[in-house]
């Protein structure tokens, strides 16, 4: 029973073995998380197009679901900026302004996202946590940040009628700045000021709480709602019931791709957060189990009138900073939000929409990561260009299509790296054992009459042509044909039928020129591959190491100063 719980409900297994010594720390962490989750949940509900109570619903039962099924002790789930932007982008065109349809379609999207995540767990697709590279994910989040910031300008100025595409709406808003509502703008600026000041003077206090409380107090005392300042209005008290979600066949064609993209992006960003805090606290998380946990949380959110959620980095950081030790911290946070929903919703009616816009602008700005983008550009300009393309994809095409752009960029990056792996010609360097790339060592020399060729990747159908071209080019790069080509097989981790046919073809071409082709490394593995695919294992001689190959060809004298035969695996 215990093993079954660890496999399917690792959080529950840990909670059943809960230690009372962790209670105080987890309770403090849970209250700290709730203090952040309440204002952020309300703000993100506004971003996604929901009433404020829906954002709070999404901060209760999904947290409980992850605490039962998840493997991270610190991770807190909830409304997320990127997730909410995708929801609004996917659902708004389908709902066409119908509030009831919007809520129904959002629940369908959350349910589909959860189902996809659970199926991914059974297919062991936790490896997708590494699918979106750092540059692509940074670019996607930068695009989401820009979209969020631009989308809040209408709320903090109260310039009506600037809907539509975010760039078009922003351009219209700039043209109509003279229509700005001064009290609304002043409230937003005051909220900005409170968040900035409290962030510096009271870094442990949730800045969003102070901003919303201060703005609500100003509305209440000054009667600003009577002056045209929009507020949240009455927020219904109580916990949600159970919602029976029915999938609309007509909407599935649009919702399934959006749910798939949502599952990928939310899982990838969630795992970045959970892995970083797991590493900090000295334990491991299980991506496959967390895929299922994310799915369960989304299903629960859909059934309790919530919307799709993801890992929340700010709330996770708050839990860790407050000393949260176990899954119980998330349970205490959920309980605190539930108590607010039941007994403390009355003051929320005075919270101005402009203050929520200010909170979202600050949240969007916190997502912008120019420092990492600069580091990426310094390391690889091509990767930086990919990151910028991902950003433009979100801003120009929208969050939903931006996911597609990110996925396509990830696939193209993978294909580029796999189809064109690095090729090196190896030689010896005086005073250094083994064989090293001639391109990286000015004093390296190739063995006389030999070309030692290293292909740093699998030899399969989509790069076999590149292998053939570069290997043959290496035999004509110098004056005079070499006596033999030694193929370093250690980096060639896999091959297929196309790769073996290409190898056989290259061997025949070189043979016609009087050049021998031999292999070095992975001797047994390559012989097995050749036999399995029906090739003659004696067609190409495979030596155990590069040194064995060089000795067998008697091209150069052996350097007796090298310590042992395994040193030829060293490269630089």
């Amino acid at each position: 029973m215990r093993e079954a719980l660890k496999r399917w409900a690792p959080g529950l297994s840990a909670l059943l073995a809960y230690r009372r010594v962790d209670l105080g720390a987890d309770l403090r962490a849970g209250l700290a998380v709730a203090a952040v989750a309440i204002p952020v949940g309300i703000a993100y509900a506004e971003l996604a197009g929901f009433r404020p109570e829906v954002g709070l619903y999404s901060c209760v039962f999904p947290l409980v679901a992850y605490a039962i099924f998840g493997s991270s002790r610190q991770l807190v789930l909830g409304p997320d900026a990127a997730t909410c932007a995708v929801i609004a982008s996917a659902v708004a065109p389908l709902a066409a302004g119908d509030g009831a349809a919007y809520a129904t379609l959002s629940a369908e999207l959350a349910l589909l996202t959860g189902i996809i995540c659970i199926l991914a767990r059974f297919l062991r697709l936790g490896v997708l946590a590494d699918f979106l590279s750092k540059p692509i994910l940074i670019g996607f989040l930068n695009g989401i940040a820009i979209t969020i910031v631009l989308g809040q300008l209408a709320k903090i100025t109260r310039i009506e009628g600037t809907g539509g595409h975010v760039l078009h709406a922003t351009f219209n808003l700039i043209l109509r700045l003279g229509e700005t509502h001064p009290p609304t703008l002043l409230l937003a600026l005051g909220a900005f000021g409170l968040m900035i000041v409290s962030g510096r003077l009271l870094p442990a206090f949730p800045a969003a709480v102070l901003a919303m409380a201060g703005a609500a107090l100003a509305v209440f005392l000054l009667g600003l709602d009577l002056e045209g300042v929009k507020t949240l209005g009455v927020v219904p008290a109580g916990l949600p019931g159970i919602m029976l979600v029915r999938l609309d066949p007509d909407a599935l064609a649009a919702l399934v791709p959006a749910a798939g993209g949502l599952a990928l992006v939310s899982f990838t960003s969630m795992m970045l957060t959970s892995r970083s805090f797991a590493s900090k606290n000295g334990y491991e998380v299980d991506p496959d189990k967390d895929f299922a946990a994310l799915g369960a949380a989304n299903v629960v959110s859909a059934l309790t009138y919530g919307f799709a959620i993801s890992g929340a980095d700010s709330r996770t950081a708050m839990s860790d900073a407050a000393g949260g030790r176990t899954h119980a911290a998330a349970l205490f946070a959920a309980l605190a939000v539930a108590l607010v929903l039941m007994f403390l919703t009355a003051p929320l009616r005075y919270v101005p929409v402009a203050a929520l816009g200010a909170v979202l602008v600050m949240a969007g700005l916190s997502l912008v990561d120019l420092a990492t983008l600069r580091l990426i550009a310094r390391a690889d300009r091509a990767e930086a260009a990919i990151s910028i393309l991902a950003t433009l994809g979100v801003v120009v095409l929208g969050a939903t299509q931006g996911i597609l752009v990110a996925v396509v960029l990830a696939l193209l990056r993978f294909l580029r790296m796999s189809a064109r792996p690095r090729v090196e010609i190896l030689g010896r360097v005086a005073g250094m054992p083994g064989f090293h790339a001639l391109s990286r060592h000015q004093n390296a020399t190739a063995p006389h009459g030999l070309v030692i060729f290293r292909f740093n990747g699998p030899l399969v159908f989509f790069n076999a042509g590149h292998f053939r071209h570069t290997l043959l080019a290496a035999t004509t790069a110098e004056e005079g044909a070499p006596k033999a080509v030694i193929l370093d097989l250690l980096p060639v981790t896999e091959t297929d039928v196309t790769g073996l046919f290409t190898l056989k073809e290259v061997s025949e071409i070189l043979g016609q020129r009087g050049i021998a082709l031999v292999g070095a490394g992975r001797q047994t593995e390559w012989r097995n591959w050749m036999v399995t695919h029906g090739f003659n294992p004696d067609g190409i001689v495979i030596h155990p190491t590069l040194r064995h190959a060089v000795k067998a060809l008697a091209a150069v004298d052996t350097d007796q100063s090298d310590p042992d035969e395994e040193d030829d695996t060293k490269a630089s």
Side-chain angles (χ1 to χ4, degrees):
M1 182 65 177
R2 184 177 295 274
E3 289 303 317
L5 276 179
K6 285 183 178 180
R7 182 178 181 186
W8 299 107
L12 179 58
S13 175
L15 288 170
L16 291 176
Y18 192 73
R19 303 179 307 169
R20 292 186 61 183
V21 69
D22 295 327
L23 180 61
D26 285 339
L27 180 58
R28 287 191 297 273
L31 294 176
V33 168
V36 176
I38 291 168
V40 171
I42 293 172
Y44 284 163
E46 178 77 16
L47 174 62
F50 296 103
R51 289 283 304 155
E53 65 271 15
V54 179
L56 297 181
Y57 296 161
S58 301
C59 295
V60 180
F61 296 106
L63 271 69
V64 177
Y66 184 83
I68 292 172
F69 298 105
S71 65
S72 172
R73 302 171 198 163
Q74 274 77 35
L75 185 68
V76 177
L77 265 61
D80 168 74
T83 304
C84 291
V86 173
I87 293 169
S89 177
V91 175
L94 298 175
D98 185 335
Y102 193 96
T104 300
L105 290 168
S106 299
E108 288 185 44
L109 180 60
L111 181 63
L112 288 169
T113 302
I115 292 172
I116 289 172
C117 289
I118 293 171
L119 289 175
R121 186 263 185 269
F122 287 102
L123 295 173
R124 296 190 176 278
L125 295 181
V127 293
L128 290 177
D130 304 317
F131 182 74
L132 296 181
S133 68
K134 185 73 171 180
I136 291 173
L137 194 59
I138 289 295
F140 178 79
L141 292 177
N142 282 342
I144 290 292
I146 294 171
T147 302
I148 290 172
V149 171
L150 295 179
Q152 304 314 303
L153 296 180
K155 294 176 184 174
I156 64 179
T157 58
R158 208 193 160 186
I159 298 177
E160 307 287 350
T162 58
H165 189 280
V166 65
L167 294 179
H168 183 261
T170 303
F171 180 71
N172 284 340
L173 187 141
I174 292 172
L175 294 179
R176 297 170 53 192
L177 281 178
E179 302 175 26
T180 298
H181 186 243
T184 298
L185 179 60
L186 287 174
L187 268 178
L189 293 176
F192 280 125
L194 279 174
M195 284 186 283
I196 293 171
V197 171
S198 67
R200 293 179 179 177
L201 300 182
L202 301 169
F205 192 85
V209 172
L210 186 60
M212 288 175 58
L217 187 62
V219 169
F220 175 73
L221 294 177
L222 303 176
L224 295 179
D225 51 337
L226 302 177
E227 299 296 326
V229 173
K230 292 182 66 175
T231 64
L232 293 181
V234 177
V235 177
L239 296 175
I242 301 297
M243 177 182 183
L244 181 61
V245 182
R246 293 194 178 117
L247 296 178
D248 181 0
D250 296 331
L252 287 180
L255 290 180
V256 169
L262 203 54
L264 175 62
V265 171
S266 59
F267 175 67
T268 303
S269 60
M270 180 187 83
M271 289 308 299
L272 282 174
T273 301
S274 65
R275 280 176 170 172
S276 63
F277 283 96
S279 175
K280 177 184 175 183
N281 290 280
Y283 66 95
E284 295 290 332
V285 292
D286 188 316
D288 287 317
K289 292 176 183 176
D290 275 11
F291 226 150
L294 176 63
N298 274 292
V299 170
V300 168
S301 188
L303 296 177
T304 54
Y305 292 83
F307 50 85
I309 46 84
S310 179
D313 51 0
S314 61
R315 278 140 284 176
T316 302
M318 177 60 72
S319 177
D320 183 71
R325 299 175 184 175
T326 75
H327 298 77
L331 294 180
F332 288 129
L335 178 61
V337 176
L339 291 173
V340 169
L341 271 168
M342 289 190 290
F343 304 112
L344 297 173
T345 57
L348 296 177
R349 64 177 297 181
Y350 295 105
V351 174
V353 172
L356 295 181
V359 170
L360 287 170
V361 168
M362 294 297 284
L365 292 176
S366 71
L367 288 177
V368 177
D369 194 348
L370 297 180
T372 301
L373 183 59
R374 283 193 292 269
L375 288 175
I376 293 169
R378 212 178 307 170
D380 190 328
R381 290 186 178 274
E383 293 275 27
I386 290 174
S387 185
I388 293 171
L389 283 175
T391 300
L392 293 176
V394 174
V395 175
V396 175
L397 300 177
T400 306
Q401 297 301 319
I403 293 176
L404 180 61
V405 170
V407 170
V408 169
L409 288 173
L411 288 173
L412 291 176
R413 177 180 178 272
F414 170 76
L415 289 175
R416 175 178 171 270
M417 294 177 67
S418 301
R420 294 293 182 269
R422 189 173 69 253
V423 171
E424 297 170 326
I425 307 300
L426 306 182
R428 291 188 180 276
V429 179
M432 295 177 64
F435 298 87
H436 307 271
L438 301 182
S439 59
R440 286 196 290 273
H441 297 272
Q442 293 183 351
N443 58 340
T445 56
H448 179 70
L450 294 180
V451 171
I452 304 178
F453 185 84
R454 170 171 284 160
F455 189 75
N456 291 283
L459 179 54
V460 289
F461 67 97
F462 52 77
N463 62 23
H466 177 61
F467 170 83
R468 178 184 184 277
H469 172 75
T470 53
L471 191 148
L472 293 177
T475 64
T476 58
E478 302 292 338
E479 293 185 4
K483 182 186 302 183
V485 174
I486 302 175
L487 178 60
D488 183 4
L489 298 176
L490 281 178
V492 185
T493 55
E494 187 60 75
T495 188
D496 63 1
V497 173
T498 303
L500 291 174
F501 268 109
T502 302
L503 193 63
K504 184 178 181 181
E505 179 188 352
V506 168
S507 178
E508 292 171 352
I509 293 173
L510 292 177
Q512 293 170 4
R513 299 180 186 175
I515 303 172
L517 177 64
V518 303
R522 298 185 181 273
Q523 188 179 51
T524 303
E525 190 173 0
W526 269 83
R527 286 184 180 277
N528 290 340
W529 280 340
M530 289 182 173
V531 171
T532 300
H533 292 88
F535 285 81
N536 179 7
D538 297 325
I540 300 175
V541 177
I542 309 293
H543 297 273
T545 66
L546 289 176
R547 178 175 299 180
H548 275 98
V550 172
K551 282 184 177 181
L553 292 168
V556 294
D557 294 332
T558 304
D559 182 359
Q560 299 295 334
S561 63
D562 287 350
D564 57 57
E565 292 184 348
E566 295 303 319
D567 280 341
D568 63 2
T569 63
K570 297 178 180 178
S572 62

